[in-house]
Amino acid sequence: MISEKFTFIGGEELIIQAYKWIPEHTKCIKGVVQISHGMAEGAHRYTHLAQYLTDNGYIVYAHDHRGHGKTAVNLDKLGILAKEDGFQHLVLDVHRLSKRIQLEYPELPLFLLGHSMGSFVTQEYIMHYGECLRGVLLSGSNGKQGPIVDLGLWIAGREVRKIGRDTKSVKLDKLIFGKYNKQFEPARTHFDWLSRDEEEVDKYLADPYCGRIFTAGFFYDFLSGIKYVGSLKNKKTIPEDLPIFVFSGDKDPVGRYGKGILDLVEDYKKVGIRQVTYKLYPGGRHEMLNETNRDEVMQDILEWIEKLI
Protein backbone atom coordinates (compact mmCIF):
# COMPACT_ATOMS: atom_id res chain seq x y z
CA MET A 1 0.00 0.00 0.00
CA ILE A 2 0.99 3.63 -0.44
CA SER A 3 1.17 5.70 2.76
CA GLU A 4 0.76 9.47 2.94
CA LYS A 5 0.80 12.00 5.78
CA PHE A 6 -0.95 15.35 5.81
CA THR A 7 -2.42 17.86 8.22
CA PHE A 8 -5.69 19.73 8.49
CA ILE A 9 -6.94 22.48 10.78
CA GLY A 10 -9.32 21.64 13.61
CA GLY A 11 -11.14 23.80 16.12
CA GLU A 12 -9.09 26.40 17.99
CA GLU A 13 -6.85 26.46 14.87
CA LEU A 14 -5.23 23.21 15.99
CA ILE A 15 -3.02 21.48 13.42
CA ILE A 16 -4.11 17.84 13.24
CA GLN A 17 -1.87 15.07 11.96
CA ALA A 18 -3.61 12.72 9.55
CA TYR A 19 -2.78 9.63 7.51
CA LYS A 20 -3.94 8.11 4.26
CA TRP A 21 -3.33 4.60 2.98
CA ILE A 22 -4.05 3.82 -0.67
CA PRO A 23 -4.08 0.48 -2.55
CA GLU A 24 -1.15 0.08 -4.91
CA HIS A 25 -3.60 -0.79 -7.68
CA THR A 26 -6.16 2.01 -7.86
CA LYS A 27 -8.35 0.80 -10.73
CA CYS A 28 -10.82 -1.10 -8.54
CA ILE A 29 -11.32 1.10 -5.47
CA LYS A 30 -14.54 0.07 -3.72
CA GLY A 31 -14.85 2.63 -0.93
CA VAL A 32 -13.19 4.56 1.88
CA VAL A 33 -12.85 3.59 5.54
CA GLN A 34 -12.19 6.36 8.06
CA ILE A 35 -10.84 5.35 11.49
CA SER A 36 -11.43 7.13 14.81
CA HIS A 37 -8.91 5.67 17.26
CA GLY A 38 -9.16 5.15 21.01
CA MET A 39 -7.91 6.99 24.09
CA ALA A 40 -4.18 7.10 24.87
CA GLU A 41 -3.07 5.68 21.53
CA GLY A 42 -2.67 6.94 17.97
CA ALA A 43 -3.63 6.24 14.38
CA HIS A 44 -0.28 4.48 13.77
CA ARG A 45 -1.65 1.44 15.64
CA TYR A 46 -4.10 0.79 12.79
CA THR A 47 -1.55 0.27 10.03
CA HIS A 48 -2.21 -3.48 9.97
CA LEU A 49 -5.94 -2.88 9.45
CA ALA A 50 -5.13 -0.34 6.75
CA GLN A 51 -2.92 -2.91 5.04
CA TYR A 52 -5.70 -5.49 5.10
CA LEU A 53 -8.32 -3.05 3.79
CA THR A 54 -6.11 -1.60 1.06
CA ASP A 55 -5.24 -5.13 -0.05
CA ASN A 56 -8.97 -5.59 -0.56
CA GLY A 57 -9.59 -2.40 -2.51
CA TYR A 58 -10.31 0.29 0.11
CA ILE A 59 -8.70 3.63 0.79
CA VAL A 60 -8.16 4.24 4.52
CA TYR A 61 -7.91 7.53 6.41
CA ALA A 62 -7.21 8.21 10.08
CA HIS A 63 -5.96 11.07 12.20
CA ASP A 64 -4.38 11.46 15.59
CA HIS A 65 -7.13 12.93 17.74
CA ARG A 66 -6.38 16.19 19.54
CA GLY A 67 -4.40 15.38 22.68
CA HIS A 68 -3.09 12.21 21.04
CA GLY A 69 -0.19 11.06 18.88
CA LYS A 70 1.63 13.57 16.71
CA THR A 71 -1.29 16.02 16.95
CA ALA A 72 -0.26 16.57 20.58
CA VAL A 73 3.10 17.94 19.29
CA ASN A 74 5.01 16.53 22.27
CA LEU A 75 4.47 13.98 25.03
CA ASP A 76 3.76 16.67 27.64
CA LYS A 77 0.68 17.74 25.64
CA LEU A 78 -0.90 14.28 25.57
CA GLY A 79 -4.39 14.34 27.06
CA ILE A 80 -5.07 18.04 26.49
CA LEU A 81 -8.14 18.38 24.26
CA ALA A 82 -9.33 21.98 24.19
CA LYS A 83 -10.00 25.02 26.36
CA GLU A 84 -13.55 23.73 26.77
CA ASP A 85 -16.01 21.28 25.17
CA GLY A 86 -13.20 18.92 24.22
CA PHE A 87 -15.48 16.03 23.28
CA GLN A 88 -17.39 18.17 20.81
CA HIS A 89 -14.10 19.21 19.26
CA LEU A 90 -13.22 15.54 18.81
CA VAL A 91 -16.49 15.00 16.94
CA LEU A 92 -16.01 18.08 14.77
CA ASP A 93 -12.46 17.06 13.89
CA VAL A 94 -13.72 13.70 12.64
CA HIS A 95 -16.33 15.50 10.55
CA ARG A 96 -13.74 17.86 9.09
CA LEU A 97 -11.75 14.89 7.87
CA SER A 98 -14.92 13.24 6.53
CA LYS A 99 -15.69 16.35 4.49
CA ARG A 100 -12.19 16.35 3.05
CA ILE A 101 -12.53 12.68 2.10
CA GLN A 102 -15.86 13.28 0.40
CA LEU A 103 -14.42 16.20 -1.58
CA GLU A 104 -11.58 13.98 -2.78
CA TYR A 105 -13.72 10.90 -3.47
CA PRO A 106 -17.33 12.04 -3.90
CA GLU A 107 -18.23 8.89 -5.85
CA LEU A 108 -17.06 6.43 -3.18
CA PRO A 109 -19.06 5.21 -0.17
CA LEU A 110 -17.62 6.26 3.20
CA PHE A 111 -17.53 4.03 6.27
CA LEU A 112 -16.53 5.19 9.75
CA LEU A 113 -14.93 2.81 12.25
CA GLY A 114 -14.54 4.02 15.82
CA HIS A 115 -12.70 2.18 18.57
CA SER A 116 -13.14 2.74 22.34
CA MET A 117 -13.02 6.51 22.93
CA GLY A 118 -13.26 6.85 19.17
CA SER A 119 -16.40 4.72 19.21
CA PHE A 120 -18.09 7.14 21.61
CA VAL A 121 -17.00 10.02 19.39
CA THR A 122 -18.51 8.07 16.50
CA GLN A 123 -21.73 7.53 18.46
CA GLU A 124 -22.17 11.30 18.65
CA TYR A 125 -20.94 11.85 15.10
CA ILE A 126 -23.80 9.79 13.67
CA MET A 127 -26.30 11.83 15.69
CA HIS A 128 -25.29 14.89 13.64
CA TYR A 129 -23.72 13.62 10.42
CA GLY A 130 -24.96 10.07 9.96
CA GLU A 131 -26.35 10.85 6.52
CA CYS A 132 -22.77 11.26 5.26
CA LEU A 133 -21.96 7.59 5.83
CA ARG A 134 -22.75 4.32 4.08
CA GLY A 135 -22.17 2.46 7.35
CA VAL A 136 -20.60 2.71 10.80
CA LEU A 137 -18.61 0.20 12.88
CA LEU A 138 -18.20 0.46 16.66
CA SER A 139 -15.36 -1.43 18.34
CA GLY A 140 -14.80 -1.76 22.10
CA SER A 141 -17.78 0.45 22.86
CA ASN A 142 -20.56 0.55 25.46
CA GLY A 143 -24.16 1.63 25.90
CA LYS A 144 -25.84 3.84 28.48
CA GLN A 145 -24.20 3.77 31.89
CA GLY A 146 -26.73 5.51 34.11
CA PRO A 147 -26.04 7.43 37.34
CA ILE A 148 -22.39 6.30 37.50
CA VAL A 149 -21.62 8.84 34.75
CA ASP A 150 -23.20 11.66 36.75
CA LEU A 151 -21.10 10.68 39.76
CA GLY A 152 -17.98 10.58 37.62
CA LEU A 153 -18.78 14.01 36.18
CA TRP A 154 -19.20 15.45 39.67
CA ILE A 155 -15.85 14.02 40.79
CA ALA A 156 -14.14 15.16 37.58
CA GLY A 157 -15.60 18.66 37.98
CA ARG A 158 -14.15 18.88 41.48
CA GLU A 159 -10.79 17.66 40.19
CA VAL A 160 -10.75 20.30 37.43
CA ARG A 161 -11.44 23.03 39.97
CA LYS A 162 -8.77 21.65 42.28
CA ILE A 163 -5.85 21.01 39.93
CA GLY A 164 -6.87 22.68 36.63
CA ARG A 165 -8.02 21.34 33.26
CA ASP A 166 -4.56 20.63 31.85
CA THR A 167 -3.05 18.81 34.84
CA LYS A 168 -2.69 15.03 34.69
CA SER A 169 -5.11 13.33 37.08
CA VAL A 170 -3.97 10.08 38.67
CA LYS A 171 -7.16 10.12 40.73
CA LEU A 172 -9.47 10.11 37.69
CA ASP A 173 -7.32 7.59 35.85
CA LYS A 174 -7.70 5.15 38.75
CA LEU A 175 -11.42 5.92 39.01
CA ILE A 176 -12.05 5.11 35.34
CA PHE A 177 -9.56 2.28 34.72
CA GLY A 178 -8.63 0.99 38.17
CA LYS A 179 -10.80 -2.14 38.05
CA TYR A 180 -10.34 -3.08 34.41
CA ASN A 181 -7.59 -5.62 35.14
CA LYS A 182 -9.46 -7.31 38.00
CA GLN A 183 -10.98 -9.94 35.72
CA PHE A 184 -7.49 -11.00 34.57
CA GLU A 185 -5.64 -11.30 37.88
CA PRO A 186 -3.01 -12.38 38.54
CA ALA A 187 -2.13 -9.95 35.76
CA ARG A 188 1.23 -9.78 34.01
CA THR A 189 0.90 -6.01 33.32
CA HIS A 190 -1.47 -3.13 34.07
CA PHE A 191 -2.88 -3.48 30.55
CA ASP A 192 -3.71 -7.18 30.33
CA TRP A 193 -7.33 -6.12 29.79
CA LEU A 194 -6.43 -4.89 26.31
CA SER A 195 -5.62 -8.22 24.67
CA ARG A 196 -4.73 -11.88 25.21
CA ASP A 197 -1.78 -11.32 22.87
CA GLU A 198 1.15 -10.59 25.19
CA GLU A 199 3.27 -9.26 22.33
CA GLU A 200 0.64 -6.65 21.48
CA VAL A 201 0.34 -5.61 25.13
CA ASP A 202 4.11 -5.23 25.35
CA LYS A 203 4.14 -3.11 22.19
CA TYR A 204 1.51 -0.88 23.77
CA LEU A 205 3.59 -0.53 26.94
CA ALA A 206 6.71 0.34 24.93
CA ASP A 207 4.94 3.01 22.87
CA PRO A 208 5.50 6.50 24.33
CA TYR A 209 2.16 7.67 22.90
CA CYS A 210 0.17 4.91 24.61
CA GLY A 211 -1.13 4.37 28.11
CA ARG A 212 -0.36 7.83 29.46
CA ILE A 213 -2.32 9.38 32.32
CA PHE A 214 -4.57 12.10 30.90
CA THR A 215 -5.71 15.44 32.22
CA ALA A 216 -8.59 16.30 34.51
CA GLY A 217 -10.14 18.33 31.68
CA PHE A 218 -9.97 15.34 29.35
CA PHE A 219 -11.86 13.13 31.80
CA TYR A 220 -14.50 15.78 32.43
CA ASP A 221 -15.07 16.36 28.73
CA PHE A 222 -15.03 12.64 27.95
CA LEU A 223 -17.60 11.83 30.63
CA SER A 224 -19.76 14.69 29.32
CA GLY A 225 -19.65 13.04 25.91
CA ILE A 226 -20.50 9.65 27.40
CA LYS A 227 -23.56 11.16 29.05
CA TYR A 228 -24.66 12.81 25.80
CA VAL A 229 -24.42 9.69 23.65
CA GLY A 230 -26.15 7.59 26.31
CA SER A 231 -29.37 9.56 25.92
CA LEU A 232 -32.13 7.71 24.09
CA LYS A 233 -33.51 11.08 22.98
CA ASN A 234 -30.21 11.92 21.29
CA LYS A 235 -30.06 8.50 19.64
CA LYS A 236 -33.35 9.30 17.92
CA THR A 237 -31.47 11.80 15.72
CA ILE A 238 -29.49 8.98 14.05
CA PRO A 239 -30.76 8.18 10.52
CA GLU A 240 -32.93 5.07 10.74
CA ASP A 241 -31.46 3.63 7.55
CA LEU A 242 -27.82 3.88 8.70
CA PRO A 243 -26.30 0.37 8.99
CA ILE A 244 -24.42 -0.16 12.27
CA PHE A 245 -22.11 -3.04 13.21
CA VAL A 246 -21.06 -3.29 16.87
CA PHE A 247 -18.30 -5.73 17.78
CA SER A 248 -16.43 -6.48 20.97
CA GLY A 249 -14.81 -9.17 23.06
CA ASP A 250 -17.09 -10.72 25.63
CA LYS A 251 -14.32 -10.18 28.21
CA ASP A 252 -13.99 -6.46 27.47
CA PRO A 253 -14.47 -4.44 30.68
CA VAL A 254 -15.32 -1.29 28.69
CA GLY A 255 -18.39 -3.03 27.27
CA ARG A 256 -19.21 -4.54 30.67
CA TYR A 257 -18.29 -8.01 29.41
CA GLY A 258 -20.89 -7.91 26.65
CA LYS A 259 -23.80 -6.47 28.63
CA GLY A 260 -23.10 -2.91 27.52
CA ILE A 261 -22.93 -4.03 23.90
CA LEU A 262 -26.33 -5.70 24.13
CA ASP A 263 -27.76 -2.56 25.80
CA LEU A 264 -26.37 -0.38 23.02
CA VAL A 265 -27.77 -2.59 20.28
CA GLU A 266 -31.15 -2.70 22.02
CA ASP A 267 -31.26 1.10 22.30
CA TYR A 268 -30.48 1.50 18.61
CA LYS A 269 -33.32 -0.86 17.79
CA LYS A 270 -35.66 1.03 20.14
CA VAL A 271 -35.14 4.28 18.23
CA GLY A 272 -35.93 2.56 14.93
CA ILE A 273 -32.53 1.92 13.37
CA ARG A 274 -33.26 -0.87 10.96
CA GLN A 275 -29.87 -2.43 10.27
CA VAL A 276 -28.10 -3.07 13.58
CA THR A 277 -25.91 -6.14 13.92
CA TYR A 278 -23.36 -7.15 16.54
CA LYS A 279 -20.79 -9.79 17.34
CA LEU A 280 -19.25 -10.74 20.68
CA TYR A 281 -16.02 -12.71 20.32
CA PRO A 282 -15.63 -15.41 23.01
CA GLY A 283 -12.64 -14.69 25.24
CA GLY A 284 -11.84 -11.45 23.44
CA ARG A 285 -10.75 -8.43 25.46
CA HIS A 286 -10.81 -4.73 24.61
CA GLU A 287 -8.75 -4.42 21.44
CA MET A 288 -10.24 -6.96 19.07
CA LEU A 289 -8.09 -5.58 16.25
CA ASN A 290 -5.02 -6.55 18.29
CA GLU A 291 -6.38 -9.81 19.64
CA THR A 292 -5.15 -13.33 18.97
CA ASN A 293 -8.01 -13.76 16.45
CA ARG A 294 -7.58 -10.38 14.74
CA ASP A 295 -7.52 -11.99 11.29
CA GLU A 296 -11.05 -13.29 11.92
CA VAL A 297 -12.14 -9.85 13.14
CA MET A 298 -10.73 -8.04 10.10
CA GLN A 299 -12.41 -10.55 7.80
CA ASP A 300 -15.74 -9.94 9.56
CA ILE A 301 -15.27 -6.19 9.11
CA LEU A 302 -14.56 -6.61 5.42
CA GLU A 303 -17.51 -8.94 4.84
CA TRP A 304 -19.89 -6.56 6.62
CA ILE A 305 -18.70 -3.60 4.56
CA GLU A 306 -18.85 -5.48 1.27
CA LYS A 307 -22.48 -6.41 1.83
CA LEU A 308 -23.24 -2.66 1.69
CA ILE A 309 -21.20 -1.82 -1.42
Side-chain angles (χ1 to χ4, degrees):
M1 66 180 175
I2 302 167
S3 301
E4 298 178 4
K5 294 182 181 179
F6 63 95
T7 60
F8 65 95
I9 304 301
E12 299 183 341
E13 299 302 309
L14 181 68
I15 299 173
I16 295 176
Q17 180 65 58
Y19 308 85
K20 178 182 180 182
W21 296 279
I22 311 167
E24 292 185 7
H25 304 288
T26 59
K27 290 185 178 180
C28 300
I29 302 297
K30 303 172 188 175
V32 183
V33 178
Q34 181 181 351
I35 298 170
S36 173
H37 70 73
M39 175 187 171
E41 62 163 352
H44 63 285
R45 298 188 73 230
Y46 294 80
T47 306
H48 64 296
L49 176 61
Q51 182 70 70
Y52 180 79
L53 291 171
T54 55
D55 285 347
N56 285 279
Y58 293 87
I59 297 169
V60 180
Y61 282 81
H63 69 284
D64 289 334
H65 287 298
R66 57 182 56 234
H68 294 76
K70 297 300 177 64
T71 297
V73 181
N74 60 58
L75 297 179
D76 290 336
K77 299 294 184 182
L78 291 174
I80 299 176
L81 294 184
K83 294 176 182 177
E84 60 181 0
D85 298 329
F87 194 86
Q88 283 65 48
H89 278 294
L90 290 169
V91 176
L92 290 171
D93 293 340
V94 174
H95 184 52
R96 286 185 177 94
L97 181 54
S98 295
K99 290 194 294 184
R100 177 175 177 140
I101 294 168
Q102 290 176 314
L103 284 173
E104 292 183 4
Y105 301 100
E107 75 286 359
L108 294 178
L110 175 62
F111 297 85
L112 177 58
L113 187 158
H115 170 68
S116 195
M117 178 196 78
S119 78
F120 296 109
V121 171
T122 300
Q123 285 190 41
E124 180 167 346
Y125 178 104
I126 60 178
M127 294 172 179
H128 309 297
Y129 312 111
E131 71 282 353
C132 300
L133 304 173
R134 179 67 60 88
V136 64
L137 305 95
L138 301 175
S139 163
S141 202
N142 198 2
K144 59 187 175 185
Q145 299 177 54
I148 192 69
V149 175
D150 291 320
L151 176 61
L153 269 171
W154 181 78
I155 296 171
R158 285 188 61 189
E159 186 78 340
V160 167
R161 292 189 293 273
K162 180 180 178 181
I163 67 175
R165 278 185 60 84
D166 294 345
T167 303
K168 314 288 185 186
S169 176
V170 175
K171 178 179 181 178
L172 292 174
D173 186 80
K174 288 183 177 179
L175 176 69
I176 301 296
F177 302 111
K179 295 183 179 179
Y180 278 8
N181 242 14
K182 187 175 181 180
Q183 182 84 1
F184 312 107
E185 292 177 349
R188 188 179 65 91
T189 76
H190 292 303
F191 292 100
D192 281 18
W193 58 275
L194 292 178
S195 173
R196 293 167 292 184
D197 190 324
E198 293 185 0
E199 183 177 345
E200 289 297 328
V201 173
D202 289 343
K203 285 164 62 177
Y204 182 89
L205 287 166
D207 192 327
Y209 291 99
C210 293
R212 294 299 187 102
I213 292 175
F214 274 13
T215 64
F218 171 88
F219 285 109
Y220 182 83
D221 291 350
F222 180 55
L223 289 167
S224 298
I226 294 292
K227 180 172 182 173
Y228 185 90
V229 301
S231 163
L232 206 61
K233 177 182 177 181
N234 292 334
K235 285 185 174 70
K236 290 179 180 178
T237 63
I238 300 170
E240 293 181 357
D241 60 351
L242 177 65
I244 301 175
F245 177 39
V246 187
F247 64 96
S248 179
D250 70 357
K251 295 294 186 288
D252 180 8
V254 173
R256 291 180 283 137
Y257 310 103
K259 186 178 185 303
I261 301 304
L262 297 177
D263 287 345
L264 179 60
V265 169
E266 183 61 29
D267 276 354
Y268 283 150
K269 290 180 178 179
K270 281 181 183 177
V271 299
I273 299 174
R274 296 190 288 272
Q275 297 184 65
V276 186
T277 55
Y278 74 94
K279 185 167 183 176
L280 290 172
Y281 294 91
R285 300 182 187 180
H286 183 55
E287 293 189 341
M288 289 311 307
L289 289 166
N290 290 315
E291 260 290 4
T292 53
N293 63 324
R294 54 186 165 272
D295 290 343
E296 173 194 3
V297 177
M298 291 191 294
Q299 182 177 343
D300 288 343
I301 287 170
L302 179 65
E303 288 178 356
W304 184 84
I305 288 173
E306 300 220 309
K307 288 178 183 178
L308 299 171
I309 295 296

